[in-house]
């Protein structure tokens, strides 16, 4: 029996037993049934949301599973175009000691530049906003 059916049964019992012989009792039982009915509505809404979220999570699980399968296929590929070692080589070329971080005074974004490539009086151009500015004093 659902919550709404139980509430309807309770309301029938109250009406059938003639428990509302005084206005105060009638008001009390009406308020009680109304409160229970509101709770039943809230429960049904939560059940709907729960079912919706469950369906969404099942779809996400399927999507992740599909992606994992695709990655497994790529790892098994013998063409050499999906080698993880190639990715590592790209990052090995970046030597942090050769670069310095700077904040653009115009847009406030941080970026790296290679000081060895710039003269002291040369302007640095921000890759974010494209505006030139003087190199910071060391």
């Amino acid at each position: 029996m659902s919550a709404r059916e139980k509430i309807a049964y309770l309301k029938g019992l109250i009406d059938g037993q003639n428990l509302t012989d005084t206005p105060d009792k009638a008001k009390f039982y009406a308020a009680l049934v109304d409160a229970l009915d509101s709770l039943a509505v809230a429960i049904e809404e939560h059940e709907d949301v729960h079912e919706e979220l469950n369906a969404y999570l099942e779809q996400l699980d399927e999507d992740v599973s599909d992606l994992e399968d695709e990655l497994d296929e790529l790892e098994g590929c013998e063409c050499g175009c999906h080698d993880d070692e190639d990715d590592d080589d790209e990052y090995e070329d970046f030597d942090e000691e050769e670069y310095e971080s700077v904040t653009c005074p115009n847009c406030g974004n941080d970026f790296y530049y290679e000081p060895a490539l710039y003269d002291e009086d040369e302007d640095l151009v921000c890759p974010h906003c494209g505006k030139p500015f003087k190199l910071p004093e060391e």
Side-chain angles (χ1 to χ4, degrees), residues 16-87:
Q17 296 291 325
N18 198 20
L19 298 175
T20 58
D21 54 352
T22 66
D24 288 339
K25 284 184 180 179
K27 186 176 180 180
F28 170 77
Y29 286 119
L32 180 64
V33 169
D34 185 49
L36 291 173
D37 197 42
S38 294
L39 288 172
V41 168
I43 289 171
E44 288 173 353
E45 289 173 357
H46 282 100
E47 287 173 347
D48 291 343
V49 169
H50 184 270
E51 288 175 12
E52 215 173 284
L53 286 172
N54 194 34
Y56 179 70
L57 285 174
E58 287 176 2
Q59 183 62 46
L60 278 177
D61 187 44
E62 288 177 21
D63 292 347
V64 168
S65 181
D66 292 344
L67 286 172
E68 287 173 341
D69 291 345
E70 287 180 27
L71 284 173
D72 288 343
E73 288 175 15
L74 287 176
E75 287 176 1
C77 178
E78 295 184 16
C79 69
C81 62
H82 306 290
D83 244 351
D84 288 339
E85 293 173 10
D86 292 342
D87 294 339

